Amino acid sequence: MGQQAAKATRKPRADSLRNRERLLAAAKAVFSAGGPEASLEAVARKAEVGIGTLYRHFPTRDALFQAVYRREVEQLGELAESLAEAEDPVEALRCWLHATVEVTATKKGMLAALALAADGQAELYAQTGERMRAALTALIERAVAKGMMRADIGPEEIMRALYGLVGGYYMSGAPDWQATVCRLLDVFVDGLRLPRA
């Protein structure tokens, strides 16, 4: 095996993996806050790595944005799977929606901070959107099957309600907008629950 082939198949070093994780966590925090301070330099400072290390892992802002957002959506999918056996599937749905508010806020903050154009993002949103729909559908179907949630409201309607609330309150700029959205989501979820027999 040649030197180039060996390099291509070599596993990333442990310190490289740690740096990548630190950069993703830092990017989430910095981009969620948005504003003029949401720069790649700010991400590197927060992760306590050099800017060269950031560029080795993520050569562009867009690459970093996509990595953060994909990771967030994957974690939401894993959360839905972990909630599959929850005793109360309506409460599991509530928990997942609250977690989704935070991820949606991250995405909106990143878009505002990076001023990303929609071009080139279609594939990202198609893939992550499908993962989100699958996670939400599984939670809804379980609650309906157990006779604990009304069956006439589907995942598309719930996602539209969620994004409508997030969009409206995020744009208001209120510091406690996430808490407000979660409180209104609680009212919405309570309305989906069927009374116990």
Side-chain angles (χ1 to χ4, degrees), residues 58-71:
F58 307 105
T60 65
R61 289 183 177 200
D62 193 43
L64 181 56
F65 164 76
Q66 290 199 27
V68 172
Y69 188 55
R70 284 183 195 280
R71 181 182 190 225

Side-chain angles (χ1 to χ4, degrees), residues 14 24 26 34 36-37 111 121 124-125 130 149 153 161:
L24 288 172
E37 300 306 312
L111 288 171
Q121 303 302 325
L124 170 67
Y125 294 136
E130 186 53 42
M149 178 178 146
I153 304 294

Side-chain angles (χ1 to χ4, degrees), residues 22-75:
R22 287 166 68 176
L23 284 164
L24 288 172
K28 176 186 173 183
V30 170
F31 292 157
S32 293
E37 300 306 312
S39 65
L40 294 184
E41 290 77 12
V43 172
R45 277 196 307 274
K46 188 165 186 65
E48 299 179 345
V49 301
I51 192 70
T53 298
L54 185 151
Y55 281 117
R56 274 194 298 279
H57 287 279
F58 307 105
T60 65
R61 289 183 177 200
D62 193 43
L64 181 56
F65 164 76
Q66 290 199 27
V68 172
Y69 188 55
R70 284 183 195 280
R71 181 182 190 225
E72 294 281 280
V73 170
E74 189 55 36
Q75 288 174 340

Side-chain angles (χ1 to χ4, degrees), residues 113-150:
L114 302 177
L116 288 172
D119 294 344
Q121 303 302 325
E123 183 183 352
L124 170 67
Y125 294 136
Q127 291 172 351
T128 55
E130 186 53 42
R131 178 72 162 128
M132 294 276 282
R133 270 190 299 279
L136 178 57
T137 299
L139 291 168
I140 292 170
E141 286 177 350
R142 184 163 176 267
V144 170
K146 284 195 160 239
M148 298 177 72
M149 178 178 146
R150 54 190 293 173

